[in-house]
Amino acid sequence: MPATSVIGLQWGDEAKGKVVDLLTEKHDIVVRYQGGNNAGHTVKFDGKTYKLSLLPTGILQSHVKSVIAPGVVVNPHAVLKELDGLAAGGQDCSGRLMISDRAHVICPWHLLEEAALEKSRGAAAIGTTMRGIGTCYRDKVGRSHAIRVGDLINRDAFASKVCEIVRFKQIILNSLNPDGEQMNADAIIADYAAAADRIRPMVADSTNYLLDALDNGKWLLFEGAQGSLLDVDHGTFPYVTSSNSSGCGIHSGSGVPEREIKKMIGVVKAYTTRVGGGPFPSELDNEIGQRIRIAGNEFGTVTGRPRRCGWLDAVATRYGARISGVDSIAIALLDVLSGFDELFICEAYDIDGRVTRDFPSRCEDLAAAKPVLRRVPGWQEDITGITKFADLPASAQQYVNDVKKLVGKPVELVSVGPDRSQTIRM
Ligand code: IMP
């Protein structure tokens, strides 16, 4: 397929990285088009494990160009830290990375403001990753105090913008937190100028590059970060990230028209997890949730926070699949559910006595939703070595078929372990 996308259909951490990795072989360019270093994925390459956050998963493949498109918010220090980490492992990937000059830059005030704002929300805190993502997107939309990568690599433009913005932001920061840090514009300019010197060779107009690549028959793979339910417009607002993390963000974030995407694959974890605040109807705040957390190693790649775990929420996932418009789904981490006598799938919500399969638009309604659970038999066998659907225990096959029916999309593959080989293609 000339252009394919991989989108998370839940609240992020669906193991999209593995699916992207499986598809990368056949593609020439991998594109990140939204989010920033709030995302996290673990990539195994040549026997070593690398943790990536901002860099596209394809970065380790020598035949692939990795693109950070305009819709991403870029912390230049995070880019360099990840590239340096790869180089230390023997993988010098900087020549394969392109960063859009239109992407926006995360600056120190974004992190300071986010910390102060989250603190001021008290119990209603969003539980953000504290990477300055939301505050950077806010300044982008607000336009007055925004810096793009194209400004960052222009020393004079960058210095004058920083001086002006620091004066303004310090007033806000002092009122939010009178005992807080005082920023030093000169130190910020020097610090970012050093990073800019290193990233300058990677900066380009990625939009033209991608459109030309399509004209020239190259194959593009769009790698979604976070998940559809964290989408700022369509997700569980305000407990969302600040970008369009559903399929809706591909065009706006990359500049590549939607009609060019010939195939969209949605990644679904065999259960559900969530990090940070916000309603989660099928959450298991009990021993079963803890068992899934341990079996699935459900701890944040970026922040290390334990993820909240629950039964597969098919209402939420179906909604994610519909708004993202995926053609098929990949079910990940099915092996984590081995060893349970019985399993449950949330097939509807009971909201104040009204049973519905529609995902509510108001967070308050989602918070009031009680899960209507379908009981399905579990399986005891270790399935991590199975590569054919017919070899799965009958109840695991039933589970996959139930997910297919409830989510309403064909299943393209099932992952039963982190390795590429641990994949059942349907
Ligand atoms: P932010 O993206 O740092 O602003 O955080 C907003 C919300 O999105 C918080 O609940 C985060 O935990 C969540 N979030 C952000 N990135 C990810 C991710 O990659 N996986 C799962 N949750 C995420």
Side-chain angles (χ1 to χ4, degrees), residues 11-13 16 38-40 114 126-131 133-134 225-226 230 239-242 274-277 302 305 307:
W11 279 289
D13 309 315
K16 296 177 286 294
N38 50 349
E114 179 177 20
I126 294 166
T128 67
T129 57
M130 294 290 175
R131 298 294 190 270
I133 306 292
Q226 291 85 48
L230 288 171
Y239 298 97
V240 291
T241 192
S242 299
R274 187 165 197 175
V275 202
V302 174
R305 290 181 289 179
R307 296 182 186 136

PDB file of all heavy atoms in Angstrom, residues 11-13 16 38-40 114 126-131 133-134 225-226 230 239-242 274-277 302 305 307, ligand 1:
ATOM      1  N   TRP A  11      -6.904   4.243  24.858  1.00  0.00           N
ATOM      2  CA  TRP A  11      -6.314   5.423  25.501  1.00  0.00           C
ATOM      3  C   TRP A  11      -4.776   5.402  25.412  1.00  0.00           C
ATOM      4  O   TRP A  11      -4.091   5.785  26.345  1.00  0.00           O
ATOM      5  CB  TRP A  11      -6.752   5.501  26.967  1.00  0.00           C
ATOM      6  CG  TRP A  11      -8.101   6.092  27.172  1.00  0.00           C
ATOM      7  CD1 TRP A  11      -8.465   7.397  27.019  1.00  0.00           C
ATOM      8  CD2 TRP A  11      -9.294   5.411  27.614  1.00  0.00           C
ATOM      9  NE1 TRP A  11      -9.810   7.571  27.319  1.00  0.00           N
ATOM     10  CE2 TRP A  11     -10.335   6.376  27.691  1.00  0.00           C
ATOM     11  CE3 TRP A  11      -9.589   4.095  27.947  1.00  0.00           C
ATOM     12  CZ2 TRP A  11     -11.623   6.065  28.100  1.00  0.00           C
ATOM     13  CZ3 TRP A  11     -10.879   3.778  28.345  1.00  0.00           C
ATOM     14  CH2 TRP A  11     -11.872   4.753  28.413  1.00  0.00           C
ATOM     15  N   GLY A  12      -4.250   4.906  24.316  1.00  0.00           N
ATOM     16  CA  GLY A  12      -2.797   4.874  24.129  1.00  0.00           C
ATOM     17  C   GLY A  12      -2.191   3.576  24.635  1.00  0.00           C
ATOM     18  O   GLY A  12      -2.879   2.725  25.217  1.00  0.00           O
ATOM     19  N   ASP A  13      -0.909   3.405  24.352  1.00  0.00           N
ATOM     20  CA  ASP A  13      -0.143   2.236  24.812  1.00  0.00           C
ATOM     21  C   ASP A  13      -0.715   0.918  24.299  1.00  0.00           C
ATOM     22  O   ASP A  13      -0.693  -0.100  24.995  1.00  0.00           O
ATOM     23  CB  ASP A  13      -0.066   2.195  26.356  1.00  0.00           C
ATOM     24  CG  ASP A  13       0.400   3.518  26.914  1.00  0.00           C
ATOM     25  OD1 ASP A  13       1.367   4.062  26.370  1.00  0.00           O
ATOM     26  OD2 ASP A  13      -0.223   4.017  27.870  1.00  0.00           O
ATOM     27  N   LYS A  16       1.340  -0.142  19.488  1.00  0.00           N
ATOM     28  CA  LYS A  16       1.385   0.268  18.084  1.00  0.00           C
ATOM     29  C   LYS A  16       2.781   0.053  17.505  1.00  0.00           C
ATOM     30  O   LYS A  16       2.934  -0.251  16.326  1.00  0.00           O
ATOM     31  CB  LYS A  16       1.028   1.762  17.948  1.00  0.00           C
ATOM     32  CG  LYS A  16      -0.377   2.098  18.373  1.00  0.00           C
ATOM     33  CD  LYS A  16      -0.653   3.585  18.286  1.00  0.00           C
ATOM     34  CE  LYS A  16      -0.001   4.428  19.360  1.00  0.00           C
ATOM     35  NZ  LYS A  16      -0.464   4.215  20.714  1.00  0.00           N
ATOM     36  N   ASN A  38       5.711  12.854  24.709  1.00  0.00           N
ATOM     37  CA  ASN A  38       4.780  12.225  25.671  1.00  0.00           C
ATOM     38  C   ASN A  38       4.526  10.764  25.310  1.00  0.00           C
ATOM     39  O   ASN A  38       4.087   9.979  26.125  1.00  0.00           O
ATOM     40  CB  ASN A  38       3.441  12.989  25.739  1.00  0.00           C
ATOM     41  CG  ASN A  38       2.834  13.256  24.369  1.00  0.00           C
ATOM     42  OD1 ASN A  38       3.472  13.074  23.345  1.00  0.00           O
ATOM     43  ND2 ASN A  38       1.599  13.727  24.358  1.00  0.00           N
ATOM     44  N   ALA A  39       4.788  10.418  24.054  1.00  0.00           N
ATOM     45  CA  ALA A  39       4.575   9.032  23.612  1.00  0.00           C
ATOM     46  C   ALA A  39       5.748   8.182  24.099  1.00  0.00           C
ATOM     47  O   ALA A  39       6.754   8.704  24.560  1.00  0.00           O
ATOM     48  CB  ALA A  39       4.499   8.985  22.094  1.00  0.00           C
ATOM     49  N   GLY A  40       5.587   6.877  24.004  1.00  0.00           N
ATOM     50  CA  GLY A  40       6.704   6.016  24.396  1.00  0.00           C
ATOM     51  C   GLY A  40       6.585   4.671  23.744  1.00  0.00           C
ATOM     52  O   GLY A  40       5.497   4.112  23.688  1.00  0.00           O
ATOM     53  N   GLU A 114       2.966  24.107  32.648  1.00  0.00           N
ATOM     54  CA  GLU A 114       2.190  22.867  32.796  1.00  0.00           C
ATOM     55  C   GLU A 114       2.216  22.396  34.250  1.00  0.00           C
ATOM     56  O   GLU A 114       1.182  22.003  34.793  1.00  0.00           O
ATOM     57  CB  GLU A 114       2.771  21.784  31.887  1.00  0.00           C
ATOM     58  CG  GLU A 114       2.022  20.462  32.017  1.00  0.00           C
ATOM     59  CD  GLU A 114       2.540  19.386  31.077  1.00  0.00           C
ATOM     60  OE1 GLU A 114       3.679  19.504  30.591  1.00  0.00           O
ATOM     61  OE2 GLU A 114       1.802  18.423  30.846  1.00  0.00           O
ATOM     62  N   ILE A 126      -5.244  16.558  35.122  1.00  0.00           N
ATOM     63  CA  ILE A 126      -5.378  15.668  33.954  1.00  0.00           C
ATOM     64  C   ILE A 126      -4.424  14.483  34.093  1.00  0.00           C
ATOM     65  O   ILE A 126      -4.678  13.409  33.565  1.00  0.00           O
ATOM     66  CB  ILE A 126      -5.109  16.475  32.657  1.00  0.00           C
ATOM     67  CG1 ILE A 126      -6.201  17.526  32.477  1.00  0.00           C
ATOM     68  CG2 ILE A 126      -5.029  15.563  31.431  1.00  0.00           C
ATOM     69  CD1 ILE A 126      -5.897  18.589  31.460  1.00  0.00           C
ATOM     70  N   GLY A 127      -3.349  14.702  34.844  1.00  0.00           N
ATOM     71  CA  GLY A 127      -2.354  13.632  34.965  1.00  0.00           C
ATOM     72  C   GLY A 127      -1.490  13.589  33.723  1.00  0.00           C
ATOM     73  O   GLY A 127      -1.240  12.526  33.160  1.00  0.00           O
ATOM     74  N   THR A 128      -1.052  14.769  33.273  1.00  0.00           N
ATOM     75  CA  THR A 128      -0.265  14.840  32.036  1.00  0.00           C
ATOM     76  C   THR A 128       1.133  14.259  32.238  1.00  0.00           C
ATOM     77  O   THR A 128       1.531  13.967  33.365  1.00  0.00           O
ATOM     78  CB  THR A 128      -0.115  16.304  31.566  1.00  0.00           C
ATOM     79  OG1 THR A 128       0.687  16.988  32.529  1.00  0.00           O
ATOM     80  CG2 THR A 128      -1.461  16.994  31.437  1.00  0.00           C
ATOM     81  N   THR A 129       1.849  14.135  31.144  1.00  0.00           N
ATOM     82  CA  THR A 129       3.203  13.559  31.214  1.00  0.00           C
ATOM     83  C   THR A 129       4.254  14.584  31.624  1.00  0.00           C
ATOM     84  O   THR A 129       5.431  14.240  31.737  1.00  0.00           O
ATOM     85  CB  THR A 129       3.596  12.962  29.850  1.00  0.00           C
ATOM     86  OG1 THR A 129       3.501  13.991  28.867  1.00  0.00           O
ATOM     87  CG2 THR A 129       2.681  11.799  29.462  1.00  0.00           C
ATOM     88  N   MET A 130       3.850  15.848  31.790  1.00  0.00           N
ATOM     89  CA  MET A 130       4.759  16.918  32.228  1.00  0.00           C
ATOM     90  C   MET A 130       5.894  17.173  31.229  1.00  0.00           C
ATOM     91  O   MET A 130       7.017  17.482  31.607  1.00  0.00           O
ATOM     92  CB  MET A 130       5.364  16.603  33.601  1.00  0.00           C
ATOM     93  CG  MET A 130       4.346  16.587  34.707  1.00  0.00           C
ATOM     94  SD  MET A 130       3.772  18.291  35.022  1.00  0.00           S
ATOM     95  CE  MET A 130       2.501  17.948  36.215  1.00  0.00           C
ATOM     96  N   ARG A 131       5.577  17.041  29.959  1.00  0.00           N
ATOM     97  CA  ARG A 131       6.602  17.278  28.930  1.00  0.00           C
ATOM     98  C   ARG A 131       6.367  18.606  28.195  1.00  0.00           C
ATOM     99  O   ARG A 131       7.000  18.877  27.186  1.00  0.00           O
ATOM    100  CB  ARG A 131       6.589  16.132  27.905  1.00  0.00           C
ATOM    101  CG  ARG A 131       6.908  14.760  28.477  1.00  0.00           C
ATOM    102  CD  ARG A 131       8.352  14.708  28.970  1.00  0.00           C
ATOM    103  NE  ARG A 131       8.771  13.380  29.302  1.00  0.00           N
ATOM    104  CZ  ARG A 131       8.667  12.797  30.508  1.00  0.00           C
ATOM    105  NH1 ARG A 131       8.131  13.473  31.507  1.00  0.00           N
ATOM    106  NH2 ARG A 131       9.116  11.582  30.720  1.00  0.00           N
ATOM    107  N   ILE A 133       3.643  19.408  26.573  1.00  0.00           N
ATOM    108  CA  ILE A 133       2.937  19.141  25.312  1.00  0.00           C
ATOM    109  C   ILE A 133       1.732  20.090  25.155  1.00  0.00           C
ATOM    110  O   ILE A 133       1.621  20.823  24.166  1.00  0.00           O
ATOM    111  CB  ILE A 133       2.458  17.666  25.273  1.00  0.00           C
ATOM    112  CG1 ILE A 133       3.624  16.696  25.517  1.00  0.00           C
ATOM    113  CG2 ILE A 133       1.672  17.378  23.991  1.00  0.00           C
ATOM    114  CD1 ILE A 133       4.667  16.624  24.464  1.00  0.00           C
ATOM    115  N   GLY A 134       0.842  20.069  26.148  1.00  0.00           N
ATOM    116  CA  GLY A 134      -0.397  20.855  26.044  1.00  0.00           C
ATOM    117  C   GLY A 134      -0.122  22.343  25.993  1.00  0.00           C
ATOM    118  O   GLY A 134      -0.777  23.089  25.239  1.00  0.00           O
ATOM    119  N   ALA A 225       0.484   8.446  17.535  1.00  0.00           N
ATOM    120  CA  ALA A 225       0.921   8.388  18.938  1.00  0.00           C
ATOM    121  C   ALA A 225      -0.319   8.551  19.810  1.00  0.00           C
ATOM    122  O   ALA A 225      -1.355   9.056  19.360  1.00  0.00           O
ATOM    123  CB  ALA A 225       1.920   9.491  19.222  1.00  0.00           C
ATOM    124  N   GLN A 226      -0.234   8.127  21.077  1.00  0.00           N
ATOM    125  CA  GLN A 226      -1.396   8.090  21.982  1.00  0.00           C
ATOM    126  C   GLN A 226      -2.513   7.254  21.327  1.00  0.00           C
ATOM    127  O   GLN A 226      -2.215   6.390  20.513  1.00  0.00           O
ATOM    128  CB  GLN A 226      -1.881   9.503  22.333  1.00  0.00           C
ATOM    129  CG  GLN A 226      -0.924  10.287  23.217  1.00  0.00           C
ATOM    130  CD  GLN A 226       0.162  11.006  22.443  1.00  0.00           C
ATOM    131  OE1 GLN A 226      -0.108  11.660  21.476  1.00  0.00           O
ATOM    132  NE2 GLN A 226       1.396  10.895  22.897  1.00  0.00           N
ATOM    133  N   LEU A 230      -7.877   9.679  23.328  1.00  0.00           N
ATOM    134  CA  LEU A 230      -7.174  10.831  23.899  1.00  0.00           C
ATOM    135  C   LEU A 230      -7.180  12.013  22.930  1.00  0.00           C
ATOM    136  O   LEU A 230      -6.543  13.031  23.170  1.00  0.00           O
ATOM    137  CB  LEU A 230      -5.721  10.455  24.240  1.00  0.00           C
ATOM    138  CG  LEU A 230      -5.520   9.537  25.450  1.00  0.00           C
ATOM    139  CD1 LEU A 230      -4.061   9.074  25.546  1.00  0.00           C
ATOM    140  CD2 LEU A 230      -5.919  10.219  26.755  1.00  0.00           C
ATOM    141  N   TYR A 239      -9.876  15.041  29.716  1.00  0.00           N
ATOM    142  CA  TYR A 239      -8.822  14.067  30.031  1.00  0.00           C
ATOM    143  C   TYR A 239      -8.287  13.468  28.738  1.00  0.00           C
ATOM    144  O   TYR A 239      -8.508  12.292  28.438  1.00  0.00           O
ATOM    145  CB  TYR A 239      -9.364  13.001  30.995  1.00  0.00           C
ATOM    146  CG  TYR A 239      -9.797  13.619  32.306  1.00  0.00           C
ATOM    147  CD1 TYR A 239     -11.129  13.939  32.546  1.00  0.00           C
ATOM    148  CD2 TYR A 239      -8.847  13.941  33.268  1.00  0.00           C
ATOM    149  CE1 TYR A 239     -11.509  14.549  33.730  1.00  0.00           C
ATOM    150  CE2 TYR A 239      -9.227  14.557  34.451  1.00  0.00           C
ATOM    151  CZ  TYR A 239     -10.555  14.861  34.670  1.00  0.00           C
ATOM    152  OH  TYR A 239     -10.922  15.486  35.845  1.00  0.00           O
ATOM    153  N   VAL A 240      -7.634  14.313  27.988  1.00  0.00           N
ATOM    154  CA  VAL A 240      -7.135  13.955  26.661  1.00  0.00           C
ATOM    155  C   VAL A 240      -5.753  14.568  26.494  1.00  0.00           C
ATOM    156  O   VAL A 240      -5.297  15.338  27.348  1.00  0.00           O
ATOM    157  CB  VAL A 240      -8.069  14.521  25.562  1.00  0.00           C
ATOM    158  CG1 VAL A 240      -9.410  13.811  25.552  1.00  0.00           C
ATOM    159  CG2 VAL A 240      -8.259  16.030  25.724  1.00  0.00           C
ATOM    160  N   THR A 241      -5.108  14.263  25.400  1.00  0.00           N
ATOM    161  CA  THR A 241      -3.887  14.986  25.067  1.00  0.00           C
ATOM    162  C   THR A 241      -4.293  16.180  24.211  1.00  0.00           C
ATOM    163  O   THR A 241      -5.485  16.387  23.956  1.00  0.00           O
ATOM    164  CB  THR A 241      -2.858  14.047  24.395  1.00  0.00           C
ATOM    165  OG1 THR A 241      -1.592  14.720  24.341  1.00  0.00           O
ATOM    166  CG2 THR A 241      -3.309  13.610  22.997  1.00  0.00           C
ATOM    167  N   SER A 242      -3.338  16.984  23.760  1.00  0.00           N
ATOM    168  CA  SER A 242      -3.727  18.237  23.098  1.00  0.00           C
ATOM    169  C   SER A 242      -3.657  18.171  21.585  1.00  0.00           C
ATOM    170  O   SER A 242      -3.662  19.212  20.923  1.00  0.00           O
ATOM    171  CB  SER A 242      -2.843  19.374  23.607  1.00  0.00           C
ATOM    172  OG  SER A 242      -3.024  19.505  24.988  1.00  0.00           O
ATOM    173  N   ARG A 274      -5.285   2.761  30.867  1.00  0.00           N
ATOM    174  CA  ARG A 274      -5.352   4.216  30.818  1.00  0.00           C
ATOM    175  C   ARG A 274      -4.285   4.754  31.769  1.00  0.00           C
ATOM    176  O   ARG A 274      -4.103   4.194  32.856  1.00  0.00           O
ATOM    177  CB  ARG A 274      -6.749   4.631  31.264  1.00  0.00           C
ATOM    178  CG  ARG A 274      -7.029   6.064  31.123  1.00  0.00           C
ATOM    179  CD  ARG A 274      -8.394   6.569  31.188  1.00  0.00           C
ATOM    180  NE  ARG A 274      -8.202   7.895  30.595  1.00  0.00           N
ATOM    181  CZ  ARG A 274      -9.098   8.774  30.309  1.00  0.00           C
ATOM    182  NH1 ARG A 274     -10.340   8.503  30.542  1.00  0.00           N
ATOM    183  NH2 ARG A 274      -8.795   9.940  29.786  1.00  0.00           N
ATOM    184  N   VAL A 275      -3.613   5.835  31.382  1.00  0.00           N
ATOM    185  CA  VAL A 275      -2.664   6.491  32.289  1.00  0.00           C
ATOM    186  C   VAL A 275      -3.170   7.891  32.565  1.00  0.00           C
ATOM    187  O   VAL A 275      -3.661   8.542  31.654  1.00  0.00           O
ATOM    188  CB  VAL A 275      -1.248   6.645  31.668  1.00  0.00           C
ATOM    189  CG1 VAL A 275      -0.203   6.808  32.746  1.00  0.00           C
ATOM    190  CG2 VAL A 275      -0.896   5.509  30.767  1.00  0.00           C
ATOM    191  N   GLY A 276      -3.055   8.343  33.803  1.00  0.00           N
ATOM    192  CA  GLY A 276      -3.537   9.681  34.136  1.00  0.00           C
ATOM    193  C   GLY A 276      -5.000   9.622  34.553  1.00  0.00           C
ATOM    194  O   GLY A 276      -5.564   8.545  34.767  1.00  0.00           O
ATOM    195  N   GLY A 277      -5.616  10.818  34.641  1.00  0.00           N
ATOM    196  CA  GLY A 277      -6.980  10.907  35.170  1.00  0.00           C
ATOM    197  C   GLY A 277      -8.032  10.619  34.112  1.00  0.00           C
ATOM    198  O   GLY A 277      -7.713  10.330  32.947  1.00  0.00           O
ATOM    199  N   VAL A 302       7.263   6.407  29.359  1.00  0.00           N
ATOM    200  CA  VAL A 302       7.798   7.761  29.533  1.00  0.00           C
ATOM    201  C   VAL A 302       7.923   8.122  31.011  1.00  0.00           C
ATOM    202  O   VAL A 302       8.957   8.591  31.467  1.00  0.00           O
ATOM    203  CB  VAL A 302       6.876   8.792  28.817  1.00  0.00           C
ATOM    204  CG1 VAL A 302       7.309  10.215  29.102  1.00  0.00           C
ATOM    205  CG2 VAL A 302       6.888   8.537  27.322  1.00  0.00           C
ATOM    206  N   ARG A 305       4.775   5.515  35.322  1.00  0.00           N
ATOM    207  CA  ARG A 305       3.563   5.399  36.163  1.00  0.00           C
ATOM    208  C   ARG A 305       2.864   4.074  35.921  1.00  0.00           C
ATOM    209  O   ARG A 305       2.775   3.621  34.770  1.00  0.00           O
ATOM    210  CB  ARG A 305       2.567   6.525  35.808  1.00  0.00           C
ATOM    211  CG  ARG A 305       3.012   7.892  36.235  1.00  0.00           C
ATOM    212  CD  ARG A 305       1.976   8.948  35.876  1.00  0.00           C
ATOM    213  NE  ARG A 305       1.887   9.199  34.443  1.00  0.00           N
ATOM    214  CZ  ARG A 305       1.046  10.050  33.887  1.00  0.00           C
ATOM    215  NH1 ARG A 305       0.204  10.733  34.641  1.00  0.00           N
ATOM    216  NH2 ARG A 305       1.038  10.243  32.588  1.00  0.00           N
ATOM    217  N   ARG A 307      -0.005   1.818  34.934  1.00  0.00           N
ATOM    218  CA  ARG A 307      -1.203   2.110  34.136  1.00  0.00           C
ATOM    219  C   ARG A 307      -2.422   1.503  34.813  1.00  0.00           C
ATOM    220  O   ARG A 307      -2.330   0.435  35.415  1.00  0.00           O
ATOM    221  CB  ARG A 307      -1.050   1.519  32.734  1.00  0.00           C
ATOM    222  CG  ARG A 307       0.077   2.161  31.959  1.00  0.00           C
ATOM    223  CD  ARG A 307       0.195   1.600  30.554  1.00  0.00           C
ATOM    224  NE  ARG A 307       1.368   2.148  29.893  1.00  0.00           N
ATOM    225  CZ  ARG A 307       2.245   1.441  29.167  1.00  0.00           C
ATOM    226  NH1 ARG A 307       2.056   0.153  28.977  1.00  0.00           N
ATOM    227  NH2 ARG A 307       3.290   2.025  28.627  1.00  0.00           N
TER     228      ARG A 307
HETATM  229  P1  IMP B   1      -0.134  15.070  27.864  1.00  0.00           P
HETATM  230  O1  IMP B   1      -0.181  14.444  26.497  1.00  0.00           O
HETATM  231  O2  IMP B   1       1.227  14.984  28.492  1.00  0.00           O
HETATM  232  O3  IMP B   1      -0.692  16.445  27.869  1.00  0.00           O
HETATM  233  O4  IMP B   1      -1.097  14.222  28.814  1.00  0.00           O
HETATM  234  C1  IMP B   1      -2.512  14.219  28.646  1.00  0.00           C
HETATM  235  C2  IMP B   1      -3.084  12.846  28.937  1.00  0.00           C
HETATM  236  O5  IMP B   1      -2.692  11.952  27.893  1.00  0.00           O
HETATM  237  C3  IMP B   1      -2.601  12.203  30.241  1.00  0.00           C
HETATM  238  O6  IMP B   1      -3.646  11.438  30.787  1.00  0.00           O
HETATM  239  C4  IMP B   1      -1.485  11.283  29.800  1.00  0.00           C
HETATM  240  O7  IMP B   1      -1.276  10.218  30.684  1.00  0.00           O
HETATM  241  C5  IMP B   1      -2.046  10.817  28.461  1.00  0.00           C
HETATM  242  N1  IMP B   1      -0.999  10.403  27.529  1.00  0.00           N
HETATM  243  C6  IMP B   1      -0.150  11.193  26.840  1.00  0.00           C
HETATM  244  N2  IMP B   1       0.656  10.462  26.064  1.00  0.00           N
HETATM  245  C7  IMP B   1       0.309   9.174  26.256  1.00  0.00           C
HETATM  246  C8  IMP B   1       0.764   7.938  25.705  1.00  0.00           C
HETATM  247  O8  IMP B   1       1.650   7.875  24.848  1.00  0.00           O
HETATM  248  N3  IMP B   1       0.141   6.822  26.159  1.00  0.00           N
HETATM  249  C9  IMP B   1      -0.876   6.845  27.073  1.00  0.00           C
HETATM  250  N4  IMP B   1      -1.339   7.980  27.589  1.00  0.00           N
HETATM  251  C10 IMP B   1      -0.758   9.136  27.192  1.00  0.00           C
END
